[in-house]
C-alpha cells in the first residue's frame, strides 16, 4: 500500500484540483457521458470561480493527496451537510495511481475529520453507471436511494445516494 500525505488545499491549489479532475473524468465518465457533457461539467464544477465559491460560500473543504511529493488525488467535502453528516462532493484519484489504496486512505482521512468535527456519518452521490459504486460499497457504504439532478442543456446527473455510518 502506498503511503500518502494529505493536506488541506487552498486557493493556490485550485489549478492542481482542476488538472486532476480533467485527467480523471475522461477515464471515469468517458463511457457514460458525451464529450460535450464531460466538457460542460468540468467547466461548471472545476473552474477557479466554482472552486472558490465552494470554499467561500458553501463551506466546502478540499484535501489534496500526495504520493512522493506529487498531487495524485483530492477530496471535496462539506461537514454538517445534514445533521452529524459530512457530504463527500468529490473524490478522485489520477487513473495511473488508482488501485494503490490511495482512495481508501483519502476516504479514511475524511472519516477521521468527520469524527473530529462531531459527525457520525458520510454521504455521497455516485453516478449510477460508474464502477466507483463498488469501491464505496467495499468501504461500507450502502445505497439509500436514486436521485436525478437536471442541469442546463438537458443534461441529467443520475445518481445513487450512498451513506455510511462511522
Amino acid at each position: 500500500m502506498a503511503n500518502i500525505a494529505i493536506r488541506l488545499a487552498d486557493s493556490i491549489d485550485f489549478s492542481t484540483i482542476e488538472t486532476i479532475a480533467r485527467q480523471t473524468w475522461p477515464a471515469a465518465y468517458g463511457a457514460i457521458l458525451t464529450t460535450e457533457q464531460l466538457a460542460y461539467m468540468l467547466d461548471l464544477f472545476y473552474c477557479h470561480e466554482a472552486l472558490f465559491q465552494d470554499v467561500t460560500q458553501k463551506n466546502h473543504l478540499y484535501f489534496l493527496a500526495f504520493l512522493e511529493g506529487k498531487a495524485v488525488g483530492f477530496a471535496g467535502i462539506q461537514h454538517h451537510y445534514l445533521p452529524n453528516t459530512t457530504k463527500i462532493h468529490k473524490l478522485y484519484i489520477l487513473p495511473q495511481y488508482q488501485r494503490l489504496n490511495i482512495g481508501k486512505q483519502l476516504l479514511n482521512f475524511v472519516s477521521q475529520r468527520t469524527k473530529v468535527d462531531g459527525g457520525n456519518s458520510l454521504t455521497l452521490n455516485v453516478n449510477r453507471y460508474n464502477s466507483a459504486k463498488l469501491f464505496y460499497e467495499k468501504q461500507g457504504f450502502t445505497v439509500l436511494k436514486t436521485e436525478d439532478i437536471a442541469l442546463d442543456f438537458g443534461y441529467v446527473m443520475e445518481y445513487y445516494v450512498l451513506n455510511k455510518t462511522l
Side-chain angles (χ1 to χ4, degrees):
M1 174 162 70
N3 287 321
I4 61 168
I6 300 171
R7 72 162 171 80
L8 182 66
D10 59 33
S11 60
I12 63 169
D13 298 308
F14 289 167
S15 62
T16 300
I17 292 168
E18 181 180 4
T19 297
I20 293 169
R22 289 189 180 278
Q23 291 177 27
T24 304
W25 272 52
Y29 302 110
I32 300 169
L33 306 176
T34 65
T35 303
E36 294 80 14
Q37 186 174 1
L38 197 63
Y40 167 77
M41 292 175 73
L42 282 165
D43 290 343
L44 180 66
F45 298 133
Y46 292 101
C47 70
H48 187 279
E49 291 173 21
L51 295 169
F52 184 77
Q53 254 190 336
D54 284 350
V55 171
T56 60
Q57 296 175 18
K58 299 178 182 176
N59 298 316
H60 292 200
L61 299 171
Y62 282 89
F63 297 95
L64 282 169
F66 293 86
L67 179 64
E68 298 175 0
K70 177 182 172 53
V72 297
F74 69 90
I77 69 168
Q78 181 183 8
H79 289 306
H80 307 293
Y81 175 79
L82 297 170
N84 302 312
T85 302
T86 292
K87 176 144 189 183
I88 301 172
H89 289 282
K90 302 168 172 76
L91 195 150
Y92 294 100
I93 308 299
L94 288 169
Q96 65 270 34
Y97 292 95
Q98 292 176 6
R99 308 219 185 289
L100 299 176
N101 287 318
I102 295 169
K104 183 177 180 178
Q105 290 177 70
L106 195 50
L107 191 56
N108 288 340
F109 177 86
V110 168
S111 297
Q112 291 304 314
R113 287 292 299 244
T114 297
K115 289 178 186 177
V116 166
D117 195 56
N120 60 19
S121 69
L122 299 172
T123 190
L124 60 87
N125 293 1
V126 65
N127 184 291
R128 288 200 294 266
Y129 307 101
N130 188 334
S131 63
K133 176 181 175 271
L134 298 174
F135 164 77
Y136 290 115
E137 289 175 331
K138 287 180 183 176
Q139 306 311 311
F141 283 84
T142 57
V143 175
L144 293 180
K145 62 182 179 177
T146 60
E147 181 176 73
D148 293 339
I149 299 173
L151 299 174
D152 293 334
F153 309 110
Y155 297 139
V156 177
M157 298 190 306
E158 300 171 297
Y159 288 129
Y160 287 117
V161 177
L162 305 180
N163 193 72
K164 177 182 179 179
T165 301
L166 301 175

